[in-house]
Amino acid sequence: MLEFLINLFLVLIALFILLIGSIQDLKTREVVDWIWVVIAISGCVLHSLQILLLLYNGTSIQNYLFTWLGNVFFAIILALFLSISGLGGEADRIAFVAISFITPILQPIFSITDPKYDIIFTITPKIVGTFFNAYLLAISAPVIIFCYNLIRKIRTGELYGISNASMTKRFALYFIGYPRRTQFILEEIERKPWHFDFLEEYNEESGWKFTFKLRLDTPEDDLKRKMTVAQQTITHDKQSIWVQPSLPFILFILLGFLLELLLGNAIFVITAYFA
């Protein structure tokens, strides 16, 4: 009974704090640091209670410690990968590490009955499942953006004239961003600097060109660049510009964590279903 309550608290605390972080991310695209501190400390306390309970019952804690600390170790590896590749923001990297501390050591609620996949679920760190689940869910964003552009272009196609890009680049743009008017763009960058980025930049020699950024710069450099581009739209009287919305990725991490609790690693689930 006590073991069940500890696992229940692990899940509820993680979901509640991640929900708060997701709401913050939706509103400001930033998450306060105390959220990750609370998650990590709560995880350490509750897992320590679980270990003490196992010791009290005379049960070996070797497997439990290996699973829990292995989860934390892989989370640090994932965070380093995101940091080196520049594919994730600082909050995303910290989130994966913090979640690894509080992730309960449980099989998915609706686990696959095939024994060979049960073994895979058991030996694979759960943070890896959360990681892949979050990014798989985020794949839906480009599809939503593409549909938004198609509907918007049918309703009013005046902003969608693209003359300085190849057919391939035009097609890619429909999945990445959308055009918007620049009338109040400078003021919006000042108020909500992290809600979107520019897909066009001005070059003195070639004029306005489309650019795709895979890596994130420092927040200071990013803000400086955005302010420069916004000012250039005014200087050069540019009426519209393509922007790339920034995703509230903590929300996808929350959904990925929840999916891991319910089904496990979505990649394993899909593989098992079609195998």
Side-chain angles (χ1 to χ4, degrees):
M1 181 62 180
L2 185 56
E3 181 180 351
F4 170 79
L5 289 176
I6 292 175
N7 285 318
L8 180 62
F9 279 125
L10 284 169
V11 171
L12 292 179
I13 291 173
L15 292 177
F16 179 70
I17 301 298
L18 282 173
L19 179 61
I20 294 177
S22 299
I23 294 173
Q24 285 189 340
D25 203 15
L26 282 167
K27 291 182 177 180
T28 66
R29 297 300 189 274
E30 293 182 292
V31 182
V32 293
D33 292 337
W34 67 261
I35 282 182
W36 313 124
V37 175
V38 170
I39 286 182
I41 292 178
S42 300
C44 288
V45 171
L46 291 172
H47 277 295
S48 297
L49 287 175
Q50 186 76 284
I51 292 170
L52 290 175
L53 180 62
L54 292 173
L55 289 173
Y56 178 78
N57 293 330
T59 306
S60 173
I61 63 172
Q62 182 176 352
N63 289 337
Y64 193 97
L65 278 174
F66 180 80
T67 303
W68 180 40
L69 296 180
N71 201 46
V72 175
F73 173 76
F74 271 91
I76 295 173
I77 296 298
L78 291 174
L80 290 174
F81 166 75
L82 292 175
S83 179
I84 294 172
S85 64
L87 296 178
E90 181 180 358
D92 305 336
R93 300 191 294 268
I94 297 175
F96 284 119
V97 175
I99 291 171
S100 69
F101 280 96
I102 202 171
T103 300
I105 301 176
L106 297 170
Q107 286 290 85
I109 296 175
F110 305 105
S111 61
I112 298 173
T113 56
D114 191 330
K116 65 181 180 182
Y117 289 103
D118 286 342
I119 294 174
I120 294 176
F121 278 128
T122 301
I123 65 177
T124 303
K126 292 186 173 298
I127 194 63
V128 175
T130 300
F131 177 84
F132 282 113
N133 291 348
Y135 277 93
L136 282 174
L137 290 170
I139 291 176
S140 63
V143 178
I144 295 173
I145 293 174
F146 179 77
C147 294
Y148 168 77
N149 281 321
L150 287 183
I151 295 172
R152 191 171 175 225
K153 184 176 181 180
I154 293 173
R155 295 180 59 184
T156 170
E158 58 180 317
L159 300 179
Y160 284 84
I162 303 174
S163 59
N164 59 338
S166 64
M167 184 64 67
T168 302
K169 186 172 288 187
R170 294 181 193 181
F171 183 72
L173 283 170
Y174 276 65
F175 286 93
I176 299 173
Y178 55 87
R180 55 158 299 163
R181 299 190 183 279
T182 60
Q183 185 177 4
F184 303 107
I185 199 81
L186 185 59
E187 293 84 350
E188 190 166 354
I189 285 292
E190 292 175 346
R191 288 186 290 106
K192 301 177 179 180
W194 313 120
H195 279 238
F196 62 86
D197 202 346
F198 293 109
L199 288 171
E200 295 182 74
E201 292 185 1
Y202 185 80
N203 185 286
E204 293 293 342
E205 297 180 356
S206 55
W208 289 97
K209 293 292 183 181
F210 288 100
T211 177
F212 301 95
K213 292 185 177 295
L214 294 178
R215 293 180 59 89
L216 296 173
D217 296 323
T218 63
E220 294 78 13
D221 291 339
D222 273 333
L223 180 57
K224 182 179 179 180
R225 175 178 52 80
K226 291 178 184 180
M227 293 294 292
T228 299
V229 175
Q231 185 61 54
Q232 287 172 333
T233 62
I234 299 174
T235 304
H236 299 281
D237 195 28
K238 185 173 177 60
Q239 299 301 309
S240 66
I241 189 170
W242 279 76
V243 300
Q244 177 180 6
S246 59
L247 299 177
F249 196 69
I250 301 303
L251 175 61
F252 290 106
I253 294 178
L254 165 62
L255 296 176
F257 177 77
L258 182 59
L259 185 59
E260 165 63 33
L261 292 175
L262 295 175
L263 295 177
N265 190 322
I267 292 180
F268 295 159
V269 174
I270 295 171
T271 302
Y273 181 80
F274 288 103

